[in-house]
Amino acid sequence: MLGTAAAAVTAPGLPARTRGAAALAVLAAGGCGLYDDLAGAGDPRRGFRAHLSALRDGELTSGAVKLFGIGAAGLAAGALVKDRPLDKVLAGVVIAGAAHFVNLVDVRPGRAPAATLAAAAPGLLRSGPAGALSAAPAGAAAAVLADDLGERIMIGDAGAHALGAGLGLAIAAGYGRTGLAAHAAALVVAAAAGDRISRAAGAAGA
């Protein structure tokens, strides 16, 4: 989490607002993930539906805190990297959605870092803020991949959400409205199909 944030904030050539967005998105996503790692360790409930159902029954789960916290941080970060209202919202959805997606695939050793590397790779070829921001989650994912695969470490929700938020910020910084809308739609669909994506990620290479 801290490594991803530090790499994003110190990336060369970024405007001050983008550096602020990077710190906000990555640290908030990682912090919410860490809270869920600690407070929700014994909670078997997974997915949006389970946590929202508990909220309707008057119970605020750690998963719900994570859901709303990362969503709010994503929208705030999106507002910093984009100028027009609709673009701010789309960027926020992409940042929060990417954070959730990387966590969805973190079901077996190495899955989350590998997914981050694969998704960040195209951004590394871009110039400007998108390229610099893509290097942050890619570098952090590469640094932990071998240890995660070897089960010497566990990145947990804190690490997975931080990687995803950094990836989402890079996407948000690199695309205009059409690209943002396409990524946002894909990530919303992925969130809705979260259980199936997690099962597929767990089965791949098993």
Side-chain angles (χ1 to χ4, degrees):
M1 173 177 69
L2 294 178
T4 306
V9 170
T10 59
L14 297 181
R17 284 168 60 92
T18 303
R19 294 186 193 279
L24 173 62
V26 175
L27 291 176
C32 288
L34 179 61
Y35 174 73
D36 193 35
D37 282 335
L38 298 174
D43 191 344
R45 290 169 292 191
R46 294 291 183 269
F48 290 160
R49 291 185 183 88
H51 293 296
L52 292 176
S53 177
L55 188 62
R56 284 195 298 270
D57 293 336
E59 180 186 0
L60 181 63
T61 65
S62 60
V65 171
K66 183 176 67 172
L67 170 64
F68 293 117
I70 293 176
L75 289 171
L80 289 172
V81 295
K82 294 298 181 184
D83 295 322
R84 297 181 177 179
L86 179 56
D87 295 342
K88 292 175 186 286
V89 173
L90 290 172
V93 172
V94 167
I95 293 166
H100 180 62
F101 177 80
V102 173
N103 190 58
L104 278 179
V105 301
D106 185 32
V107 290
R108 288 175 63 87
R111 293 296 193 269
T116 301
L117 282 169
L124 296 174
L125 303 177
R126 303 181 69 128
S127 59
L133 288 169
S134 294
V144 301
L145 179 58
D147 285 337
D148 195 31
L149 276 171
E151 299 186 57
R152 292 182 290 276
I153 63 169
M154 181 181 292
I155 66 171
D157 283 10
H161 281 304
L163 287 174
L167 176 63
L169 184 66
I171 294 169
Y175 285 89
R177 182 169 298 175
T178 301
L180 283 174
H183 280 88
L187 288 164
V188 168
V189 170
D195 289 342
R196 280 175 284 177
I197 287 175
S198 291
R199 286 196 297 271

